[in-house]
Amino acid sequence: MSKRFHILIALLLPIAAFGQALHNGIALPEEWPPRYPQPTVAQDMPLPYIESKPAVIPINTGRQLFVDDFLIAETTLQTVCHTPVFYPHNPVLDADKEWEKTTEGVTYAAPFSDGIWYDEKIGKFRMWYLAGAGSIHTYGNQTFYTCYAESTDGIHWTKPTLDIVPGTNIVDTSDRDASTVWLDRTEKDPGKRWKFFNIEKRKGDWCWRAILKYSADGIHWSKGVAQSGDLGDRTTAFYNPFTRKWVLSMRGGTSVSGRSRYYAENSDPEELVSTSHRTRSDYNDKHVVYWFTPSDKEKRNPKYPETDPGIYNFDAIAYESIILGLYASWSGPENDICKRDGIQKHNVICLGYSRDGFHFYRPTFEPFMDVNEKDDDAWNWGNMQSINGTPLIVNDSLYFYASGRHLDKVYWDGHTSTGLAKLRRDGFVSRHAGKEEGTLTTEPLTFDGKYIFVNVAVASKKSSLRIELLDKDGNIIPGFAKKDCDTLKGIDSTKQPVSWKGQTDLSALSNQTIRIKFYLTNGDLYAFWVSPWESGESRGYTAGGGPGLHQSGIDKK
């Protein structure tokens, strides 16, 4: 869609009928999910909540991240996108069991989305992953089932002996492609706490369908309780707690790319699966809508520049006040060329961010987690794929996991393993100032907490951050001027309280409309939030969880 079309959408929104109101003041249109015409060229998604912002933005849910301009009225600060650091001893999980091989002897031991979660009830990191199924399935070379591993630190993983297939760590023997294992912390029925959206092959053909199963322990799964129509193989699921809807992210084709995405949602996961299916691009469907194509800004493969990029997969998860979108960005070559040249597909993982769970913004198209084609022995030489449940929060770090593929002499698309990368908490995008002081002023905000916190790096002697509070008309609120703020300097903290002449309690301003003005020198500002508690919990979503966090999946006392 053209820029003119996006502007038209923004102009129409104020007079449109609105439906659900979200935590951040965004009012969804009455028709939801929205139905956009399929474009004929690669392009970005529209961003109606940026083009027409709420008059006042409530900030009671979660840390407020500067991943886009939603919160920002004006700024002189520079936008910096950050990437995680790979664990030096990757992979953290590799195939070392006979039952992880295919009939050809190709090894697979990595989630294909699947899931890695921290289970606060048992105090363990838990992983579900795709493995070669040569020891069980004999009707095809490329057949797979699901295995399970666990860890006490997220780095060192064990494969327990289970009773599904005695003597192995296999938890499901259905022949599969992608899958999603989701820890549903809102589920009231303990038997449905774990949800398994498995993309299973129909026996005797190459048709795929989603099968939904439940489990109390993540090990012993029910029979399928819902099944979809035919779907694209690389289809996954996620839960949007802001709209309280389950979503299927479906692989599908458009005139732009055979690797585009379609979308379906429902508050009932069984209804979602049961009503989902492939669609034809020249028809509308009641349950499935076109979602997005690759952007025209996708990176091309320098070795195969003639190949138009695609979106191989898209996973998503709530983190703090936003939804993170993890793109498997594909730039070729096609399978026959990979086979001819004995290489892996060039898939890298990129990030996007959403305030409503449908429209995603990508501040950069550089890889968030990149392949390593320089080292022939690299665990992630090619074909990296994102994993559900990530990130996990471990102290001041975010743990991101991904699958990668070695170069493999037995089968060009084989040998998967699992790697770990670590990022600063909230560390996706910072607003940066150099030697000269820069400023950032927010849009009008409201809050119901008492204590303001920041995630900031002002570690050097010449670094500083001060904060000023303004009323709705832009006037300084007495007692909260820049000159009154206790300067933050020599600090690098992911949770730092802010005070004005020793005063930290903002309850007198609760539910008033204010703006916040940040004055930053030689440092990076990642996030801010207002908490009801002096200990600084944000009331935001904790993605895949982590040690010491609340088992509700919300950051609270």
Side-chain angles (χ1 to χ4, degrees):
M1 282 164 283
S2 66
K3 183 177 181 181
R4 179 181 295 178
F5 185 81
H6 292 172
I7 293 172
L8 178 62
I9 291 172
L11 292 173
L12 291 176
L13 277 174
I15 61 173
F18 289 111
Q20 185 177 4
L22 302 186
H23 66 289
N24 48 23
I26 294 171
L28 302 183
E30 189 172 29
E31 183 182 52
W32 189 264
R35 294 179 179 271
Y36 294 117
Q38 289 191 26
T40 57
V41 295
Q43 59 188 221
D44 293 340
M45 296 186 74
L47 292 168
Y49 55 77
I50 298 290
E51 294 157 352
S52 182
K53 298 180 183 180
V56 179
I57 300 172
I59 58 168
N60 301 323
T61 300
R63 298 184 180 207
Q64 304 298 310
L65 307 175
F66 295 113
V67 294
D68 56 20
D69 291 336
F70 180 71
L71 297 161
I72 301 171
E74 56 184 15
T75 186
T76 62
L77 302 181
Q78 177 187 1
T79 301
V80 181
C81 296
H82 302 273
T83 56
V85 176
F86 281 116
Y87 176 61
H89 303 298
N90 276 334
V92 295
L93 187 92
D94 205 348
D96 58 3
K97 308 295 184 184
E98 277 301 310
W99 57 86
E100 293 171 328
K101 297 178 180 179
T102 67
T103 56
E104 297 174 305
V106 183
T107 55
Y108 290 85
F112 204 36
S113 287
D114 288 83
I116 298 179
W117 299 82
Y118 186 81
D119 190 345
E120 290 84 4
K121 284 192 173 182
I122 65 172
K124 289 183 179 181
F125 296 80
R126 308 184 69 184
M127 178 194 301
W128 291 260
Y129 64 95
L130 175 148
S135 64
I136 290 180
H137 293 304
T138 58
Y139 52 83
N141 292 335
Q142 290 293 294
T143 52
F144 305 99
Y145 45 39
T146 306
C147 288
Y148 169 80
E150 58 189 26
S151 171
T152 57
D153 62 6
I155 297 173
H156 303 92
W157 293 84
T158 60
K159 300 173 183 178
T161 300
L162 304 173
D163 60 357
I164 312 302
V165 178
T168 76
N169 63 329
I170 298 167
V171 293
D172 188 87
T173 60
S174 302
D175 187 18
R176 51 158 289 194
D177 190 79
S179 86
T180 298
V181 176
W182 199 271
L183 172 53
D184 184 3
R185 295 184 171 98
T186 67
E187 178 58 66
K188 295 179 181 178
D189 182 346
K192 299 179 180 180
R193 182 170 182 253
W194 293 95
K195 293 177 171 57
F196 186 17
F197 300 82
N198 203 27
I199 307 303
E200 298 182 7
K201 187 189 298 181
R202 242 175 18 203
K203 267 190 178 181
D205 58 34
W206 280 92
C207 291
W208 302 94
R209 58 185 178 179
I211 306 294
L212 175 62
K213 305 173 185 180
Y214 294 132
S215 176
D217 60 6
I219 303 297
H220 302 89
W221 295 94
S222 70
K223 293 182 178 180
V225 297
Q227 64 180 7
S228 72
D230 288 349
L231 289 174
D233 51 359
R234 200 64 176 95
T235 293
T236 58
F238 68 93
Y239 182 68
N240 181 346
F242 304 131
T243 60
R244 297 182 293 280
K245 295 291 177 64
W246 291 93
V247 176
L248 276 187
S249 167
M250 294 177 282
R251 177 179 177 173
T254 62
S255 62
V256 174
S257 173
R259 294 178 175 89
S260 299
R261 305 304 288 184
Y262 287 77
Y263 177 103
E265 68 169 31
N266 201 296
S267 56
D268 182 343
E270 295 179 26
E271 288 288 333
L272 172 65
V273 169
S274 297
T275 55
S276 294
H277 51 85
R278 291 183 187 268
T279 64
R280 283 176 52 176
S281 60
D282 53 343
Y283 285 90
N284 286 325
D285 187 87
K286 180 178 181 179
H287 301 289
V288 179
V289 301
Y290 153 75
W291 199 1
F292 61 89
T293 70
S295 169
D296 58 344
K297 304 179 185 66
E298 306 289 349
K299 296 295 182 180
R300 287 183 176 266
N301 189 332
K303 297 177 182 178
Y304 302 88
E306 72 285 354
T307 302
D308 290 331
I311 302 301
Y312 199 89
N313 179 56
F314 182 75
D315 292 324
I317 194 168
Y319 174 80
E320 292 292 348
S321 57
I322 64 172
I323 302 282
L324 293 177
L326 296 97
Y327 297 74
S329 182
W330 175 89
S331 59
E334 294 288 357
N335 289 359
D336 58 337
I337 305 300
C338 289
K339 183 177 180 179
R340 181 197 71 187
D341 295 350
I343 61 171
Q344 297 286 353
K345 304 168 187 175
H346 189 96
N347 277 358
V348 300
I349 297 172
C350 298
L351 280 193
Y353 310 94
S354 179
R355 305 282 176 174
D356 63 13
F358 187 91
H359 303 92
F360 282 79
Y361 170 65
R362 297 169 68 180
T364 179
F365 289 80
E366 296 295 329
F368 181 71
M369 289 188 280
D370 205 354
V371 296
N372 177 11
E373 294 178 345
K374 296 178 181 179
D375 181 1
D376 285 352
D377 294 325
W379 70 275
N380 59 334
W381 194 96
N383 202 349
M384 293 190 71
Q385 301 284 336
S386 58
I387 298 174
N388 284 310
T390 64
L392 287 83
I393 301 171
V394 183
N395 299 319
D396 290 332
S397 295
L398 299 179
Y399 280 21
F400 279 91
Y401 297 88
S403 68
R405 304 201 188 199
H406 299 250
L407 290 176
D408 190 80
K409 294 181 180 179
V410 180
Y411 178 64
W412 65 271
D413 197 29
H415 199 163
T416 68
S417 60
T418 308
L420 165 67
K422 299 181 183 181
L423 182 74
R424 177 193 185 99
R425 188 168 180 176
D426 310 331
F428 310 102
V429 178
S430 68
R431 302 293 170 145
H432 175 79
K435 295 179 181 179
E436 299 296 324
E437 183 180 73
T439 63
L440 184 153
T441 305
T442 70
E443 299 285 3
L445 312 172
T446 60
F447 63 87
D448 63 6
K450 295 176 66 174
Y451 307 100
I452 188 167
F453 289 81
V454 291
N455 183 336
V456 68
V458 281
S460 75
K461 294 180 180 179
K462 297 182 179 180
S463 300
S464 66
L465 175 68
R466 287 185 285 181
I467 296 177
E468 193 165 66
L469 303 185
L470 313 175
D471 66 19
K472 63 181 180 179
D473 299 316
N475 302 310
I476 297 172
I477 299 173
F480 296 98
K482 173 185 176 183
K483 63 181 176 63
D484 301 317
C485 185
D486 297 317
T487 304
L488 300 179
K489 57 183 178 180
I491 291 170
D492 187 349
S493 173
T494 64
K495 187 168 67 175
Q496 177 64 38
V498 179
S499 60
W500 289 261
K501 293 183 177 180
Q503 178 182 350
T504 59
D505 190 343
L506 304 183
S507 55
L509 303 178
S510 179
N511 297 313
Q512 296 185 29
T513 299
I514 69 163
R515 295 178 187 260
I516 304 176
K517 188 169 186 178
F518 299 90
Y519 295 84
L520 181 66
T521 303
N522 199 29
D524 288 271
L525 177 64
Y526 295 88
F528 73 97
W529 65 102
V530 181
S531 174
W533 307 289
E534 284 188 278
S535 48
E537 290 82 1
S538 69
R539 297 178 288 177
Y541 290 91
T542 54
L549 299 177
H550 199 276
Q551 67 179 26
S552 67
I554 296 173
D555 188 25
K556 62 182 181 180
K557 294 190 71 171

